[in-house]
Amino acid sequence: VGQRVDLAGGAIKYRSPQALVKAMHRMASINYEPVEFIDRGSTVAIVYSDPDNIRVETIAPVERGIPKPREVIDHDTFMKRFDKSI
């Protein structure tokens, strides 16, 4: 009783890295930019932070990806690896 519970973050799963890229473009169209790009080999993520600093990770499986340690990458590297329209 009387304890406060805070939300630190959440996750939204997409079907593919390409769907994740499309979602990123939609978010950018409303001026909501990612704060981090993560490649884990078997999954890839784009992380956003809201005004209350709650982090939301949008995540997608990578076909035939092999799990590896978490690698934070920059926007250009992310796009080269996962945006098939380039």
Side-chain angles (χ1 to χ4, degrees), residues 18 21-22 25 79 82-86:
Q18 293 73 38
V21 168
K22 286 181 183 179
H25 290 304
M79 296 304 282
F82 302 106
D83 187 359
K84 300 299 182 191
S85 68
I86 292 178

Side-chain angles (χ1 to χ4, degrees), residues 8 20 24 30 33 45 48 62 71 73-74 79:
L20 198 60
M24 181 188 69
I30 59 170
E33 298 294 333
Y48 297 88
V62 176
E71 176 188 7
I73 57 179
D74 62 41
M79 296 304 282

Side-chain angles (χ1 to χ4, degrees), residues 6-58:
D6 291 323
L7 178 64
I12 301 170
K13 186 176 180 183
Y14 287 84
R15 292 181 186 260
S16 68
Q18 293 73 38
L20 198 60
V21 168
K22 286 181 183 179
M24 181 188 69
H25 290 304
R26 287 192 304 273
M27 295 292 283
S29 74
I30 59 170
N31 298 317
Y32 205 61
E33 298 294 333
V35 296
E36 194 170 54
F37 299 89
I38 303 168
D39 183 355
R40 294 184 183 97
S42 59
T43 63
V44 64
I46 301 174
V47 181
Y48 297 88
S49 185
D50 79 354
D52 294 322
N53 207 29
I54 296 173
R55 293 171 61 92
V56 176
E57 189 170 304
T58 56

